[in-house]
Amino acid sequence: MSHAPIWLTYGFTYLAAAVIAVPIARALGLGAIIGYLAAGIAIGPWGLRLVSNVQDILHFAEFGVVLMLFLVGLELQPSRLWSMRRPIFGLGTAQMLGCAALLWAVAWAFGMPWRIGLVGAFGLALSSTAIALQSIEERNLMRTDSGQKAFSILLFQDVAAIPILALLPLLGVGADVTDGHTTPHHDPMQMALEAAKIIGVVGAIIIGGRLLLRPLLRWIAKSKTPEIFTATSLFLVVSIAMLMLTVGLSMALGAFLAGVLLADSEFRRELETDIEPFKGLLLGLFFIAVGMSIDFGVILASPWAMLGLLVGFLVLKALVIYGLATVTKMPYQERPVFTLLLAQGGEFAFVVFQTGATFKAIPTETASLLIGAVALSMLLTPLLLVVMDRVLLKRFATLKSAPSDVKEISEPQSAPVIITGFGRYGQIVARMLLAQGTPVTVLDHSVEMLEVAHTFGYRVFYGDATRVNLLRIAGAEQAKVIVVAVDKPDQSLKIVQIVKKHFPHLKIVARARDITHWNQLRDLGVEHSQRELFESSLVSGRTVMEMVGLAPEEAAYVTERFREHNIALANLMYEHHNDNAAMIAVAKQGRSQLVEQMQKERQEHDAARTREQAEAIYGRNQHSAKEPQTQEPQDAPKA
């Protein structure tokens, strides 16, 4: 019997470990990432030794890093950064610089060389985006003050990790690391050349990508071969990564740049749709490789140093982060979770320390020790969150887990109307259509909403409407209308783009969360979109006017005039929605015109009412003057 090839053996080992470890970790409430890390530890050199070649492990881990950063770049929209620029660049900068400065100062106080201390400080200042966001979603904290601020800081860290990676070759060029001792070079010309090389290559990738990327993707798209389009995106990642490696820069940085360039193209949604099913698995394999690459020999050789490092950086980061929560007046009930989620180490720290060791900015043993500390902090965080939930934060209830009988839509549907989202908006639309006997297919991705719908006798299918194959099963190829009623604007826009591309015959009726979302839907060609609170707010305003004494017919007239003016103003503002200053000017002018017009109409109405009253009084007087005098009857007896 012939031996299996090495790629098949490793693939089987990785997948088997993940299939066993991740469900166990999720059942224990630890999260999938912890399961992947545990799986890597179990099959690695310090576990069952099913995979023992360290070089293969590191190469595999590096490939996982490249793919991970490509996906991060693919999801990073410049518009998203701009809308959250103040909390991102304000809080994010304060957290990164505050934590890095404190960690660097403590490292220097303990006699650590400044270059090694700087790399360690920047790496440890990062937090785990995956664990933090998963915990935020599980605890329904995304709409809270702590959830928004944590998300902003994590987003800034994802961006800040890239210049940190670019800094590592400079620190490596400026120092030789031999036997744990750092001997600095004082060659400014060499450092200047390295800096110029970094700037030149990155600039060439950005400029060349913007000029060549879209024409290339258009040409590939004309072939109408989906697998070739996906292969092209991967080819771009690999080619840019090879270019970065050729000039001695980080492949991860190149992958991130490739993702950002693809995110800026009109093909971003199609790329996400093609690659999204692989995202979780690729990240999972990356964490397996990280778990395998943890050098427990270094940890066991210096257990007290590991304990001191772990506790030390967690406490120092917690002090800075809790201070930021206090300064920004975050509700005190939310501060403990906010602090713990950001105090842990992050997955980007693995990238920083491994890349730092590659460029000899830090000794290999130090990198292993730091990676071990970060991994242990990520292992401890879910456990500490469980304790915190039970002791301090009972009011944050976690979401129910999906019942075993919930299954994704699998039988083809044929209703003429598809409704995505069965919340407060989608329910009303569905009930109106069902009352008229119009069949509908309703999709929702919330298990809790499905349970509520089934309780009241509605048939709602479980599924994510951003998946093309699921929309096909729901009957999108035969349906006439799709109602996009999901809560999140990003998800709504993604559904619209998928429908426009794959089911162009469908008429789209979309729920707009606000005027910004309404403008974005119009950009995508949606003609029938309604702001979810606009009409109900008009009804409430009309009711208030009647309560303060306005006649019902007058209140109805004012409401309709306001409605017409607001719709016209929204259409006018849409022409300038990409120019914030011009849009604000149009809004202010429109508001002033509305006030003046309504005041003029009130004056005309009052004058008309005064004339009507005067005419009525004058008419009554004239009528009284023309009435005949009362005469005695002719047959009455004379005096």
Side-chain angles (χ1 to χ4, degrees):
M1 182 177 179
S2 60
H3 293 287
I6 190 66
W7 64 266
L8 182 61
T9 303
Y10 279 3
F12 174 81
T13 303
Y14 297 146
L15 294 175
V19 168
I20 296 172
V22 174
I24 294 175
R26 293 296 296 268
L28 296 175
L30 301 178
I33 293 178
I34 305 305
Y36 286 122
L37 288 170
I41 294 172
I43 65 176
W46 297 92
L48 299 175
R49 298 184 179 181
L50 299 178
V51 181
S52 58
N53 191 325
V54 177
Q55 289 300 321
D56 288 346
I57 295 171
L58 292 176
H59 291 161
F60 183 82
E62 193 170 7
F63 182 66
V65 171
V66 171
L67 293 174
M68 182 183 71
L69 287 183
F70 169 68
L71 292 172
V72 170
L74 194 64
E75 294 176 354
L76 192 61
Q77 287 284 353
S79 59
R80 186 182 182 190
L81 278 175
W82 183 251
S83 64
M84 300 178 64
R85 59 191 181 278
R86 290 184 179 178
I88 290 175
F89 293 102
L91 274 178
T93 302
Q95 184 272 331
M96 277 297 300
L97 294 182
C99 291
L102 184 58
L103 290 167
W104 191 19
V106 172
W108 180 78
F110 277 87
M112 185 72 67
W114 71 269
R115 285 184 176 84
I116 299 176
L118 184 61
V119 175
F122 275 128
L124 294 176
L126 299 169
S127 309
S128 174
T129 302
I131 292 179
L133 290 184
Q134 180 183 354
S135 301
I136 288 172
E137 292 179 359
E138 288 177 351
R139 289 160 175 78
N140 292 322
L141 299 179
M142 184 55 75
R143 295 187 182 275
T144 64
D145 187 45
S146 61
Q148 290 292 314
K149 289 177 179 177
F151 178 75
S152 299
I153 291 174
L154 292 168
L155 195 58
F156 179 82
Q157 289 183 0
D158 288 343
V159 178
I162 305 308
I164 292 174
L165 290 176
L167 179 65
L168 295 177
L170 296 180
L171 295 176
V173 169
D176 286 335
V177 179
T178 307
D179 298 329
H181 297 286
T182 305
T183 305
H185 281 315
H186 301 284
D187 189 354
M189 182 60 68
Q190 185 180 6
M191 297 186 68
L193 289 175
E194 290 294 330
K197 183 169 62 174
I198 292 174
I199 296 173
V201 171
V202 172
I205 290 175
I206 293 175
I207 296 174
R210 286 189 176 276
L211 294 176
L212 302 177
L213 182 60
R214 293 186 181 184
L216 174 63
L217 291 177
R218 290 194 191 101
W219 181 66
I220 295 297
K222 290 180 181 179
S223 68
K224 298 181 180 180
T225 310
E227 61 271 18
I228 297 300
F229 194 88
T230 304
T232 302
S233 65
L234 294 175
F235 170 75
L236 290 172
V237 177
V238 175
S239 59
I240 293 178
M242 290 183 64
L243 176 62
M244 299 290 280
L245 187 62
T246 301
V247 296
L249 296 178
S250 168
M251 290 192 301
L253 177 60
F256 178 83
L257 290 176
V260 172
L261 292 174
L262 290 173
D264 198 35
S265 72
E266 62 267 33
F267 301 100
R268 171 177 177 261
R269 293 298 183 186
E270 184 173 359
L271 290 168
E272 284 187 342
T273 303
D274 291 340
I275 297 176
E276 186 67 25
F278 304 99
K279 178 181 179 180
L281 181 60
L282 293 175
L283 289 178
L285 294 177
F286 163 70
F287 285 115
I288 288 178
V290 169
M292 288 188 294
S293 63
I294 297 176
D295 190 349
F296 283 93
V298 175
I299 298 174
L300 295 176
S302 308
W304 295 111
M306 173 59 67
L307 180 62
L309 178 61
L310 176 63
V311 175
F313 93 81
L314 287 176
V315 171
L316 293 175
K317 286 184 67 176
L319 291 174
V320 175
I321 295 166
Y322 194 87
L324 288 176
T326 304
V327 170
T328 56
K329 298 180 180 180
M330 182 183 296
Y332 69 91
Q333 300 94 335
E334 301 179 23
R335 295 174 192 174
V337 167
F338 174 78
T339 301
L340 182 57
L341 288 177
L342 296 178
Q344 63 175 322
E347 51 268 14
F348 272 116
F350 300 140
V351 184
V352 172
F353 297 142
Q354 289 175 349
T355 307
T358 301
F359 287 105
K360 297 184 177 181
I362 56 175
T364 303
E365 290 187 358
T366 303
S368 299
L369 197 65
L370 291 170
I371 289 173
V374 170
L376 291 177
S377 73
M378 294 172 67
L379 288 169
L380 287 176
T381 297
L383 299 175
L384 294 176
L385 283 173
V386 172
V387 175
M388 189 174 291
D389 287 339
R390 294 178 180 178
V391 177
L392 298 177
L393 305 173
K394 293 182 180 180
R395 72 184 190 91
F396 292 117
T398 57
L399 293 174
K400 295 181 180 179
S401 58
S404 59
D405 58 342
V406 172
K407 296 182 179 180
E408 199 174 63
I409 181 174
S410 57
E411 298 179 0
Q413 304 297 310
S414 59
V417 179
I418 299 174
I419 299 177
T420 61
F422 198 64
R424 56 188 179 181
Y425 190 99
Q427 287 179 24
I428 300 298
V429 178
R431 288 170 60 186
M432 290 179 61
L433 294 173
L434 292 173
Q436 294 299 317
T438 303
V440 297
T441 299
V442 183
L443 301 173
D444 201 290
H445 203 222
S446 169
V447 175
E448 291 183 333
M449 187 56 66
L450 259 68
E451 293 177 349
V452 172
H454 293 165
T455 301
F456 286 91
Y458 293 104
R459 189 184 184 192
V460 179
F461 294 101
Y462 179 78
D464 183 1
T466 60
R467 294 170 51 190
V468 178
N469 60 338
L470 188 140
L471 288 175
R472 286 197 176 96
I473 296 175
E477 293 179 340
Q478 297 81 29
K480 298 179 180 179
V481 181
I482 182 169
V483 180
V484 183
V486 295
D487 287 330
K488 298 180 178 179
D490 288 346
Q491 189 179 17
S492 168
L493 297 173
K494 188 173 183 178
I495 293 173
V496 169
Q497 289 182 323
I498 291 174
V499 170
K500 285 284 187 180
K501 180 171 182 60
H502 296 278
F503 312 103
H505 69 283
L506 278 177
K507 297 179 180 179
I508 301 175
V509 177
R511 161 194 181 182
R513 193 166 188 86
D514 50 33
I515 190 67
T516 302
H517 187 202
W518 184 75
N519 288 332
Q520 292 171 333
L521 289 169
R522 289 194 60 176
D523 284 341
L524 296 177
V526 178
E527 300 178 357
H528 307 285
S529 60
Q530 290 78 34
R531 288 173 280 168
E532 61 181 12
L533 300 179
F534 181 62
E535 297 292 342
S536 59
S537 300
L538 291 176
V539 174
S540 297
R542 175 179 174 179
T543 302
V544 172
M545 286 188 288
E546 293 178 3
M547 287 180 174
V548 297
L550 205 64
E553 61 272 13
E554 293 182 25
Y557 173 79
V558 172
T559 301
E560 185 59 25
R561 289 286 290 113
F562 180 88
R563 182 178 184 275
E564 293 173 356
H565 176 84
N566 191 274
I567 292 175
L569 180 62
N571 289 325
L572 185 60
M573 291 172 60
Y574 171 72
E575 299 176 2
H576 306 280
H577 75 282
N578 290 322
D579 186 346
N580 194 48
M583 186 178 67
I584 293 175
V586 171
K588 289 181 178 179
Q589 182 181 5
R591 184 174 60 188
S592 300
Q593 290 176 350
L594 177 62
V595 172
E596 295 173 0
Q597 182 66 28
M598 298 299 288
Q599 184 178 3
K600 181 180 179 181
E601 290 181 4
R602 283 199 305 272
Q603 293 173 353
E604 293 176 352
H605 183 268
D606 292 341
R609 179 182 294 179
T610 302
R611 287 195 301 269
E612 291 175 359
Q613 292 175 351
E615 291 173 358
I617 295 173
Y618 179 79
R620 285 197 299 270
N621 292 338
Q622 290 294 102
H623 180 74
S624 299
K626 292 180 179 181
E627 285 183 356
Q629 298 290 331
T630 303
Q631 300 180 356
E632 296 180 354
Q634 295 181 358
D635 56 353
K638 294 181 180 179

